[in-house]
């Protein structure tokens, strides 16, 4: 291989050149990999639900729907009313953990408790975060199956009995959690519609590949996932100092030998950010949580790479993703400086060459991304949301850049969390209310 980097040390030149080539082609290779992976899921995933079993009311397992809530006065009433009246299941309760709300959330919950017998509320006076609220709530649950449900999230009416189907199969004793397929509730802006592309395709196709090929999930959906209570206890519950408890608990479960399942046929609807400020806050939290999990599991994967091959592959992919984010901004900075320099010098040939090569590279990325998006939107929900495919270019241009920025900006805060300076308190996002 002809070295792109010349340090005078042949073996180092080879490794650095290989790394640069991998990083340059990472988005393209990743797009084609997910494209192939979803085909493997369609034809070979062990835990894919091919048929649903009717569960008689008298033998329905008890399910606790847990809603950790902090200042959710806009959406909590609609969510509780929906869960109490629309679910096609009988043996369940709703447990709201009011995590130090300072708005009218407590008053609304008191009124709802008078209306619904199956609603219980646990009040925590000081806001200590979603993971802490969830851990407290587990001690009060009646069900051995716990559905985590955000205050702005509405699962489909058949969600509970579909979830339970996964846990009552003969070979399901080691399933720790089943994570459902997310969809966008508020498709009112270009940003929201672009996230319809992301959630209905990108997230779905990646999780299908992880489950079907790697036998692992990088993350559960914090907005709607059903957990086996025993598995949560075995993993020492949720890590309370992490930015994303749903990512960390998924890795903790799989490190202990539990199986994590993605259920694309169970749909839930969540409210997504509708402006750039809220979108950036969300992506920053996701990026920080992902880096925290990467740092937490670094030594474990490095010392035991063959203990769980799927986990190791996900770790390598995440490593490349983090490095790529830094390299992207470094290369972009160098590209701009060189372009400005050639323009000042009047070297139009070099300017033309740089722009042409950049156009070719971006085109390959876009083609790979569009193949991934198009395939996944055809597969997900029987292609019903394929009309949102027109927002794919906007999604790839804006979201990819924002995600790369979030990884770089939150890297140092994530390191501080691992060193013991993290906190789990939360601020509720801006809500529009349920529709």
């Amino acid at each position: 291989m002809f070295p792109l980097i010349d340090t005078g040390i042949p073996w180092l030149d080879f490794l650095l050149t290989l790394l640069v080539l991998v990083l340059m082609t990472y988005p393209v290779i990743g797009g084609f990999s997910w494209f192939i992976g979803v085909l493997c899921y369609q034809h070979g995933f062990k835990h894919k639900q091919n048929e649903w079993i009717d569960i008689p009311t008298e033998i329905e397992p008890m399910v606790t729907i847990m809603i950790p809530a902090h200042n959710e006065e806009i959406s909590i009433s609609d969510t509780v009313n929906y869960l109490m009246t629309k679910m096609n299941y009988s043996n369940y309760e709703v447990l709201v953990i009011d995590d130090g709300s300072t708005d009218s959330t407590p008053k609304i919950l008191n009124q709802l408790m008078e209306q619904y017998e199956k609603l219980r509320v646990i009040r925590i006076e000081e806001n200590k975060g979603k993971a802490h609220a969830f851990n407290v709530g587990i001690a009060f649950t009646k069900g051995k199956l716990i559905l985590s449900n955000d205050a702005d999230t509405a699962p489909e009416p058949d969600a509970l009995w579909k979830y339970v189907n996964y846990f009552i199969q003969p070979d399901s004793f080691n399933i720790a959690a089943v994570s459902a397929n997310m969809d966008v509730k508020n498709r009112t802006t270009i940003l929201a519609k672009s996230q319809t592309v992301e959630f209905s395709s990108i997230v779905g196709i990646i999780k299908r590949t992880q489950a079907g090929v790697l036998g692992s999930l990088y993350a559960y959906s914090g907005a709607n996932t059903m957990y086996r209570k025993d598995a949560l206890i075995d993993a020492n519950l949720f890590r309370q100092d992490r930015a994303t408890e749903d990512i960390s608990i998924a890795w903790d479960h799989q490190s202990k030998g539990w199986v994590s399942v993605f259920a694309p046929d169970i749909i839930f609807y969540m409210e997504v950010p509708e402006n750039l400020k809220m979108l950036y806050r969300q992506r920053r939290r996701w990026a920080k949580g992902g880096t925290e999990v990467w740092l937490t599991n670094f030594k474990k994967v490095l010392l035991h790479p063959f203990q769980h091959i799927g986990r190791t592959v996900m770790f390598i992919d995440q490593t490349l993703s983090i490095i790529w984010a830094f390299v992207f901004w470094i290369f972009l900075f160098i590209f701009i400086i060189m372009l400005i320099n050639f323009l000042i010098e009047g070297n139009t040939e070099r300017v033309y060459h740089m722009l042409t090569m950049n156009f070719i590279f971006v085109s390959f990325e876009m083609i790979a991304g569009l193949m991934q998006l198009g395939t996944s939107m055809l597969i997900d929900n029987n292609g019903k949301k394929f009309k949102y495919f027109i927002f794919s270019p906007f999604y790839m241009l804006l979201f990819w850049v924002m995600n790369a920025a979030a990884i770089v900006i939150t890297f140092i805060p994530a390191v501080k969390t691992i060193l013991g300076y993290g906190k789990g308190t939360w601020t509720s996002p801006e809500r529009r209310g349920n529709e």
Side-chain angles (χ1 to χ4, degrees):
M1 178 186 299
F2 181 76
L4 298 175
I5 300 174
D6 187 7
T7 64
I9 305 175
W11 66 268
L12 183 59
D13 293 344
F14 174 80
L15 291 178
L16 291 175
T17 299
L18 181 63
L19 178 61
V20 169
L21 290 175
V22 169
L23 290 172
M24 288 178 60
T25 57
Y26 171 70
V28 178
I29 294 175
F32 281 111
S33 298
W34 301 127
F35 172 75
I36 295 172
V38 75
L39 299 178
C40 296
Y41 174 88
Q42 290 295 104
H43 300 287
F45 182 46
K46 176 182 178 182
H47 291 285
K48 188 169 65 174
Q49 197 75 17
N50 294 315
E51 59 181 27
W52 302 104
I53 301 173
D54 290 330
I55 306 173
T57 302
E58 58 271 14
I59 63 170
E60 286 179 343
M62 178 66 181
V63 173
T64 296
I65 302 177
M66 190 185 298
I67 308 176
H70 174 69
N71 290 346
E72 299 285 1
E73 62 182 4
I74 293 178
S75 60
I76 192 64
S77 179
D78 289 339
T79 299
V80 171
N81 284 324
Y82 176 88
L83 293 173
M84 285 297 182
T85 59
K86 301 298 184 182
M87 306 308 295
N88 297 327
Y89 199 83
S90 300
N91 193 19
Y92 74 98
E93 63 168 347
V94 176
L95 178 64
V96 180
I97 312 300
D98 177 12
D99 189 29
S101 295
T102 55
D103 60 359
S104 61
T105 298
K107 179 181 178 180
I108 295 172
L109 289 173
N110 286 333
Q111 294 171 348
L112 289 169
M113 277 197 294
E114 295 177 1
Q115 184 178 354
Y116 298 112
E117 182 181 349
K118 293 194 295 185
L119 171 64
R120 292 189 292 145
V121 177
I122 305 297
R123 167 74 178 177
I124 300 175
E125 292 301 325
E126 182 182 356
N127 170 21
K128 293 186 178 180
K130 182 178 179 181
H132 176 265
F134 209 105
N135 290 345
V136 170
I138 289 174
F140 296 90
T141 57
K142 296 179 180 179
K144 293 185 177 180
L145 297 175
I146 303 172
L147 178 64
S148 170
N149 194 95
D150 279 359
D152 65 339
T153 299
E156 63 169 301
D158 290 334
L160 289 184
W161 70 264
K162 284 185 175 181
Y163 270 124
V164 171
N165 257 260
Y166 281 90
F167 288 96
I168 63 175
Q169 297 297 328
D171 58 349
S172 66
F173 62 92
N174 61 340
I175 291 180
V178 177
S179 192
N181 197 357
M182 62 184 73
D183 200 355
V184 175
K185 180 193 303 181
N186 51 322
R187 305 174 193 172
T188 53
T189 65
I190 293 179
L191 275 180
K193 291 173 181 177
S194 298
Q195 288 169 87
T196 300
V197 175
E198 179 179 38
F199 291 155
S200 297
S201 57
I202 286 293
V203 174
I205 197 172
I206 289 177
K207 287 189 175 181
R208 282 178 173 91
T209 301
Q210 290 171 350
V213 178
L214 306 179
S216 302
L217 285 184
Y218 172 74
Y220 300 136
S221 170
N224 206 258
T225 291
M226 183 170 284
Y227 297 94
R228 189 188 299 272
K229 185 175 181 179
D230 290 344
L232 289 173
I233 295 173
D234 185 53
N236 298 318
L237 306 183
F238 292 91
R239 294 177 184 258
Q240 298 183 38
D241 60 347
R242 297 297 192 258
T244 49
E245 80 294 333
D246 48 350
I247 302 179
S248 60
I249 191 64
W251 282 72
D252 290 344
H253 273 157
Q254 291 161 132
S255 295
K256 286 183 168 290
W258 290 94
V259 173
S260 302
V261 175
F262 174 58
D265 295 323
I266 304 177
I267 309 296
F268 69 91
Y269 302 88
M270 62 179 291
E271 191 170 320
V272 300
E274 295 184 307
N275 57 64
L276 287 175
K277 176 184 175 182
M278 294 306 300
L279 179 67
Y280 174 68
R281 280 178 53 184
Q282 181 195 66
R283 300 309 156 118
R284 188 177 61 189
R285 183 176 66 86
W286 288 2
K288 182 173 181 286
T291 302
E292 289 169 354
V293 170
W294 180 73
L295 293 168
T296 300
N297 291 275
F298 193 93
K299 182 179 179 181
K300 188 182 300 182
V301 175
L302 190 65
L303 295 179
H304 306 284
F306 301 107
Q307 187 179 60
H308 195 306
I309 297 298
R311 180 188 65 184
T312 301
V313 173
M314 288 194 303
F315 185 85
I316 293 173
D317 177 66
Q318 189 181 11
T319 302
L320 291 174
S321 177
I322 292 172
I323 296 175
W324 182 86
F326 281 91
V327 171
F328 170 80
W329 291 109
I330 293 172
F331 280 13
L332 181 61
F333 176 77
I334 295 173
F335 177 84
I336 294 174
I337 295 298
M338 291 178 63
L339 186 63
I340 293 174
N341 182 60
F342 288 137
L343 287 172
I344 293 174
E345 293 177 351
N347 193 340
T348 56
E349 182 180 352
R350 292 295 298 172
V351 171
Y352 174 77
H353 180 265
M354 288 181 65
L355 293 177
T356 301
M357 294 302 296
N358 184 66
F359 175 78
I360 293 173
F361 180 70
V362 172
S363 295
F364 273 107
E365 288 192 356
M366 295 290 284
I367 291 172
L370 290 172
M371 284 184 62
Q372 176 184 342
L373 286 167
T375 303
S376 55
M377 294 198 79
L378 285 172
I379 292 174
D380 192 58
N381 202 16
N382 298 317
K384 293 179 180 178
K385 293 185 287 295
F386 190 76
K387 61 183 178 181
Y388 293 100
F389 184 69
I390 59 175
F391 297 99
S392 298
F394 178 80
Y395 162 74
M396 289 188 286
L397 291 173
L398 174 64
F399 285 63
W400 285 5
V401 173
M402 182 176 290
N403 291 342
I407 290 174
V408 174
I409 292 171
T410 60
F411 189 84
I412 298 301
V415 173
K416 290 182 178 179
T417 297
I418 301 303
L419 294 177
Y421 299 98
K423 61 179 182 178
T425 55
W426 57 341
T427 302
S428 292
E430 297 174 4
R431 307 290 196 200
R432 293 180 65 256
N434 290 354
E435 298 178 356

